[in-house]
Each structure stands twice: as C-alpha cells, then as structure tokens.
Amino acid sequence: MLFFRYLILFSIITFTVQLELAIGSEPKFERQVIDAKISIGYGLSIGDVDGDKKPDILLADKSQIVWYRNGDWKRFVMAENLNPRVGTRFLDNVCIASRDIDGDGKVEVAVGANWNPGETTDPNKSGSVHYLIRPEDPTGLWGSIKMSAHEPTVHRMHWMKVGEKEFRLLVLPLHGRGNKGGQGDPVRVLAYVPGEKPEEGNWGSELVDASFHITHNFDLITFSKETGEEVIILGGKEGIKGIRYSSKGNGGSPWKPIHMVKNPLSKGVGEVRAYRGNADEGLITAIEPFHGNELVVYTPPSSSNEEPTRTVLDDSLSQGHALGLADVLGTGKLQVVAGWRGPDKDGKVGIRIYEQTDDGWKSHTLDDNGIACEDLKLSDLDGDGKLDVIAAGRATKNVVIYWNRGSQESN
C-alpha cells in the first residue's frame, strides 16, 4: 500500500511508545575500535576494495578518503585534499559511495567534497563530486576526476542500479541553489551517468528531482525482488518521497515520483531508511527533524482507505545522525539501529537497537557514551551470517566495529 501510492499526501496518525529494555534474550556484541584518531568521520561505505571477496570499510574523513582492510583492519589513504583551497583553507570531504558497477568484484568509489553548507550560490566555493581512479595496487593513492558540473552543498551520494548492467551515481545537495533558511529554489538531485570508460571523465547527468527544500539524506531499497529494481527514498523538509527509474516512456524524464509521506507534525526529515517486502508490506524509519531528537517509524495501512501510522520510538536523541534498518538480531523481524552525536539529557552519546516484539518496541543499548555517532552501516563483515554494526564517531574521533555474537540470556 504505502509503496504503491502515487503522489498522495498522507495525514499521519501518530503514536508515542514507551520503550523498555527487553527482558529475556539480550543481543551480544563485541566492540572493536579500529581507528581512534580520525578527524570527523563524515561518511562510511562498505565494499570489497581489494578483490579478496571480503567487505572492507571506507571512510570520508575531513581531509582524507581512507579504507580499512578486512582482517587486519590496516588503514590506507586513498585520496587527500581533492580540491584547491577556498580562501586560506581546504574544505572538508563530506560523503562517499562505493559499489561494484562493472562486475569485476571490486568497488568503484565516488566522493563528495568541498563541504561548505553556508554557501548555497557559488559552486566554485561549495560542493564537488569526484570519481576515484583505481591504481594497480589499491593500497596506494588513487587518482581522481572531478565532475564538470555540480550543485553547491553536495551532501550525500549512492550508486543506484537502473538496468541489468547500468548504474547512476546519485548526488544529493543539502540546499537548493541560493536557498536561505529553507526558502528559495528547490534542491536539485542529480544522477551522473558513467561512460564506457568512467576514468576518462565522459560522464553525463540527469535531473532526478527538484521538489524539496532542504534535504538531508536518502536511501535505496529493492522495489522488486524478481527484477532487482531499486527505488530512491528521499527525506527532506516536506517529508518523505519515493522515486523510480524507468527507461520506458515518451521521451520525458525517466525519473518518476511514486509516493509522498507528508508529516505535518515534524519540521522535516533528517535520516531515512526503508524496507519493502511485498505490495502490502513495508516500513520506513526516520530521525526527525534535521539533527533531531525523535526516532520514528511509518507503517502502511491495512487498506487503501486508512492512513499510515507514525510511531515515535524515542524522543530523547540529541542530534540524531545515523540510522540502519535490517534484521540485525536474526529474529525474522526488522530492527532499527540509531546513533546520536550530541550529549543527551544524561550527558551521553551512543547507539541503540530498537526491536519490535509481540509486546511492542523494545530498546537495547549498543554503545553507552563511547561514540558520538556521525554515521553507521550494517554489514556481515566476517561471513558468519549475522549483520555487524560499523560506526564513525565525530567528537569521539573513532571508527568502531560491533561484532554480532548472537544473543545471551539476561537475568
């Protein structure tokens, strides 16, 4: 229902649930710090960098793009200071995307840099998009090409599969060009089209969407298990929007909006993740508002005449900034993993796992004041069939793996 409605604005029924620590089977994770000296840790990505069939960890840090090799977790610098100085300083990197787009078993890597959110007009002073060129030895420095055109305030990116062997690099700015305080031109979401030899710089571009004012993040979900079709779930000032790619049409844009969730009670959506099982099954989770305190889930209605339900899982986050959605605990149900980077009312930062049980949503503390969470990813790093949690901490300046060791009985 929720994932098949086209451009419908929903009013939302909202519930707040009181979370309690689950009693009985407690998740067990083993914490390993693999880097305690990062600068900010803006963005993480997971992928096989060296072709050994093991997922590695990639990080967009303040001035460097680095990767950590699965196994010994040795750190390698891929690129540094990708742009000339703006004034007297280099501007920060801000995001990274990795995915094997050519089928050789090794990821291609793109980076967003020149982070300058206060400059929304001049693309020479704000934002840049780079494709990294793989060297023969991936532990060495990588080359790069810079896209000739981009929007200011480049903020997030993903590689999206749009055909059997066809991909786009999706790039999301924070603001529309010239936008001030969420007013003005809308955010232009762009898709970069790699040529036959992307390292030569022959990239095209397509406009994906220009309807939101201020956007913070987006997710990709598998819309069809049969075809592998992927769909964009975009969060922003106006709510949450789905966008499909279709090569069929009458010569117009291949990017088609498919639904809108509008939440009049929030001040916009910061982080967003989604899951779709079938036509009647889906779940969206979000942190609201931007850098907000509320962790919420949206569940689809049981019929087309009903409204989706917005449930507040937690309203105590401080600068909620990281989100994951998957069956981390192996229960057959989805869990939400959320991290925040600002000290909460107890003066703590950290990560929690929120589990849906027969008695409602329960929370588990994954990290209690050990990481000011800027970003997190979920991936099975050791091949044991269980999803591990990987997180980067801003003020705590660390990259941490939380190894999933199953569950243990609590007293």
Side-chain angles (χ1 to χ4, degrees):
M1 301 295 181
L2 181 61
F3 289 90
F4 266 87
R5 295 188 178 181
Y6 290 73
L7 289 177
I8 297 175
L9 300 183
F10 294 118
S11 59
I12 305 298
I13 300 173
T14 302
F15 291 96
T16 301
V17 297
Q18 181 66 39
L19 286 163
E20 299 176 356
L21 190 64
I23 298 174
S25 182
E26 283 293 305
K28 182 180 180 181
F29 287 83
E30 180 182 337
R31 186 177 188 270
Q32 179 184 0
V33 178
I34 64 169
D35 195 340
K37 296 181 179 180
I38 68 172
S39 295
I40 291 179
Y42 281 105
L44 291 163
S45 186
I46 308 297
D48 188 352
V49 176
D50 54 3
D52 65 354
K53 303 186 186 305
K54 298 177 182 179
D56 305 299
I57 299 171
L58 300 90
L59 175 72
D61 205 3
K62 178 181 173 66
S63 61
Q64 295 181 329
I65 305 299
V66 304
W67 70 282
Y68 303 88
R69 184 170 57 196
N70 192 316
D72 60 7
W73 301 111
K74 186 174 180 179
R75 178 181 184 273
F76 301 99
V77 177
M78 305 172 77
E80 188 168 12
N81 295 328
L82 289 166
N83 292 289
R85 288 182 175 87
V86 174
T88 60
R89 64 189 180 95
F90 293 105
L91 298 180
D92 295 359
N93 303 311
V94 70
C95 57
I96 186 169
S98 67
R99 189 167 182 174
D100 179 11
I101 70 170
D102 60 9
D104 68 350
K106 294 173 283 190
V107 293
E108 280 64 51
V109 182
V111 176
N114 256 20
W115 177 232
N116 190 5
E119 174 55 68
T120 64
T121 301
D122 188 347
N124 294 314
K125 297 179 180 179
S126 177
S128 63
V129 179
H130 306 259
Y131 174 78
L132 299 191
I133 301 172
R134 173 182 291 275
E136 184 174 346
D137 178 2
T139 66
L141 288 174
W142 294 43
S144 71
I145 60 165
K146 183 178 179 179
M147 303 300 162
S148 58
H150 66 271
E151 293 297 301
T153 69
V154 166
H155 190 231
R156 294 289 184 264
M157 57 174 50
H158 283 293
W159 291 103
M160 179 179 177
K161 187 175 183 180
V162 297
E164 185 177 352
K165 296 181 179 180
E166 192 175 1
F167 290 83
R168 299 287 188 269
L169 176 64
L170 304 177
V171 178
L172 177 72
L174 183 67
H175 297 290
R177 191 174 289 222
N179 199 321
K180 299 295 183 183
Q183 302 297 319
D185 291 343
V187 173
R188 287 169 52 87
V189 185
L190 297 181
Y192 291 90
V193 185
E196 186 175 344
K197 295 182 178 181
E199 68 277 6
E200 295 182 357
N202 51 338
W203 293 66
S205 65
E206 301 166 346
L207 177 64
V208 175
D209 185 72
S211 62
F212 278 11
H213 297 77
I214 306 180
T215 55
H216 193 267
N217 213 334
F218 69 111
D219 193 21
L220 296 179
I221 64 168
T222 300
F223 194 71
S224 169
K225 294 180 180 178
E226 289 74 23
T227 66
E229 178 191 0
E230 296 178 345
V231 166
I232 301 167
I233 304 296
L234 174 63
K237 178 183 176 182
E238 285 83 359
I240 301 170
K241 183 177 188 177
I243 305 170
R244 293 178 75 175
Y245 179 90
S246 175
S247 58
K248 302 175 182 178
N250 300 318
S253 172
W255 300 97
K256 309 296 182 184
I258 59 171
H259 72 261
M260 170 83 91
V261 176
K262 183 175 176 64
N263 174 20
L265 300 179
S266 80
K267 298 178 182 178
V269 175
E271 303 302 314
V272 63
R273 299 291 183 269
Y275 169 83
R276 180 181 184 273
N278 53 49
D280 299 315
E281 178 189 9
L283 185 69
I284 295 175
T285 183
I287 292 175
E288 299 176 350
F290 304 106
H291 300 171
N293 65 306
E294 289 191 341
L295 174 66
V296 306
V297 292
Y298 294 93
T299 51
S302 57
S303 73
S304 59
N305 297 323
E306 297 178 3
E307 298 167 340
T309 300
R310 177 182 184 266
T311 302
V312 180
L313 303 187
D314 196 340
D315 61 3
S316 69
L317 305 183
S318 177
Q319 296 186 44
H321 208 264
L323 198 56
L325 178 65
D327 184 7
V328 177
L329 304 182
T331 65
K333 296 182 179 180
L334 295 172
Q335 295 90 47
V336 178
V337 185
W340 67 101
R341 66 184 190 183
D344 61 15
K345 61 181 178 58
D346 297 319
K348 293 184 177 183
V349 293
I351 303 173
R352 294 191 188 109
I353 299 175
Y354 302 80
E355 177 186 9
Q356 189 174 16
T357 71
D358 293 338
D359 298 323
W361 288 87
K362 311 290 184 180
S363 72
H364 308 272
T365 297
L366 179 62
D367 193 301
D368 185 21
N369 207 35
I371 190 164
C373 195
E374 181 78 5
D375 194 18
L376 67 80
K377 299 295 180 185
L378 308 176
S379 180
D380 180 6
L381 295 180
D382 55 5
D384 66 353
K386 298 187 287 289
L387 290 173
D388 308 299
V389 181
I390 305 96
R394 188 183 183 99
T396 48
K397 300 185 180 302
N398 50 357
V399 178
V400 182
I401 300 172
Y402 303 87
W403 296 102
N404 191 340
R405 303 307 188 198
S407 61
Q408 61 183 358
E409 294 301 315
S410 63
N411 297 324

